[in-house]
Amino acid sequence: MGRRFSRIKEGQKLADAWTAYVNYWNTASTRPSRIGQGTPRQLDAMCFIQPFTISVNVGEVVSAKAYNDSYTTLATYINASSVAEVSNNIGASTMINIPKFRPARVRWQRAVNRAISTPTSKFTQQEYLKYENVDSFSCPFGATADTDDMIDSFLDVKARVLAVTGFEVSRVSLTREQVGIEAA
């Protein structure tokens, strides 16, 4: 009989969360601004890659950005792959602009210990699980040749990153390459 009414309990919990969420945004003008209280952003590393989904001429690359820490952490694993690469040196290549282009990105979240806390959301007043002391890195990557597949390249990089020891939490994810359509 406990499972029979579980959706009702869940519905009430979601209704309470929605009410708290609406209340949070309705009282936004009463809260002080926190602009300028955060930490400054890291410097960006300019990266150069060859796209997976768009054919470019030999020697042409597109640019992308990554934070310096992210680039230095992930470029080693990306460039160790035979089907993915990223460089912060344009060399003899020519940079081209592809409108509405977003490169593929690998994201690595890691933590030495699996320490979990249950903070309360300031938006919904509901508790959620959160890993403590998680480092997060994100870096664009591209193909080494026209025939390289984005998923195969990502899986190769992911295997290299997950082989790194010393972290109880190690999650690797892919943000796929995106190409927008220009209106005529």
Side-chain angles (χ1 to χ4, degrees):
M1 183 129 157
R3 294 181 66 203
R4 183 175 178 186
F5 298 107
S6 65
R7 299 289 292 176
I8 294 171
K9 292 177 189 176
E10 182 181 340
Q12 184 58 50
K13 185 175 180 181
L14 291 173
D16 293 345
W18 175 253
T19 303
Y21 178 75
V22 169
N23 185 43
Y24 179 84
W25 289 111
N26 286 340
T27 59
S29 62
T30 63
R31 291 187 296 278
S33 173
R34 297 187 337 179
I35 295 175
Q37 296 177 1
T39 57
R41 290 185 174 185
Q42 305 169 353
L43 295 174
D44 290 332
M46 187 61 73
C47 303
F48 302 99
I49 60 164
Q50 180 180 350
F52 287 103
T53 57
I54 297 176
S55 294
V56 295
N57 296 328
V58 175
E60 290 183 338
V61 293
V62 294
S63 66
K65 289 184 179 180
Y67 290 128
N68 280 334
D69 290 350
S70 294
Y71 177 79
T72 55
T73 302
L74 289 171
T76 306
Y77 305 111
I78 294 169
N79 291 327
S81 170
S82 62
V83 290
E85 70 179 0
V86 63
S87 176
N88 64 349
N89 184 0
I90 194 167
S93 299
T94 304
M95 186 175 70
I96 61 170
N97 182 29
I98 301 173
K100 298 187 179 183
F101 173 78
R102 287 189 183 164
R105 295 185 84 84
V106 62
R107 183 169 187 225
W108 183 22
Q109 292 179 307
R110 68 182 190 190
V112 175
N113 298 323
R114 191 177 295 270
I116 298 175
S117 64
T118 55
T120 301
S121 169
K122 65 182 177 182
F123 301 105
T124 64
Q125 302 303 313
Q126 305 288 315
E127 288 186 338
Y128 61 96
L129 293 176
K130 176 183 175 185
Y131 283 119
E132 296 293 322
N133 302 320
V134 173
D135 294 324
S136 185
F137 305 98
S138 172
C139 186
F141 69 99
T144 59
D146 283 343
T147 57
D148 290 341
D149 180 65
M150 179 174 35
I151 301 299
D152 292 339
S153 299
F154 167 70
L155 292 175
D156 189 41
V157 172
K158 179 180 178 179
R160 293 172 193 285
V161 171
L162 290 177
V164 177
T165 59
F167 301 103
E168 284 189 31
V169 176
S170 188
R171 296 184 295 195
V172 181
S173 60
L174 166 70
T175 302
R176 293 174 180 260
E177 187 173 276
Q178 296 178 355
V179 181
I181 299 172
E182 279 290 307

